[in-house]
Amino acid sequence: MNQEQPNNPLHGLTLEKILTRLVEHYGWDGLYARININCFNNEPSIKSSLKFLRKTQWARDKVESLYINTFT
């Protein structure tokens, strides 16, 4: 696997770090308003959201895209 990813803004970031930063920035309500995923609305937690995002690629893609658009 190629470890050199100078153009990848997510390089070196775990999904947990990405999600935590987004929650700190937008809050759960703000995150849910931007990405309509039930785990952000119904008793949200980092742990339960990570579990969902790790098995649901389309949702993970949306979270990663929001992170890139917000912080880069």
Side-chain angles (χ1 to χ4, degrees):
M1 188 170 159
N2 184 4
Q3 296 298 318
E4 299 280 325
Q5 297 183 33
N7 295 324
N8 181 354
L10 300 175
H11 180 65
L13 290 172
T14 63
L15 184 58
E16 185 173 3
K17 285 181 183 173
I18 291 169
L19 183 60
T20 300
R21 183 133 187 241
L22 285 170
V23 171
E24 287 170 352
H25 186 77
Y26 291 115
W28 288 112
D29 289 341
L31 202 51
Y32 179 68
R34 288 161 180 81
I35 306 172
N36 191 347
I37 301 174
N38 196 39
C39 67
F40 294 161
N41 187 43
N42 184 16
E43 296 182 36
S45 73
I46 296 292
K47 186 177 179 183
S48 65
S49 297
L50 285 173
K51 187 174 181 183
F52 175 77
L53 293 171
R54 286 185 176 128
K55 65 182 180 183
T56 313
Q57 189 62 47
W58 66 264
R60 182 178 181 148
D61 291 344
K62 287 184 180 237
V63 168
E64 291 176 347
S65 179
L66 179 61
Y67 183 91
I68 290 167
N69 292 332
T70 302
F71 297 115
T72 60

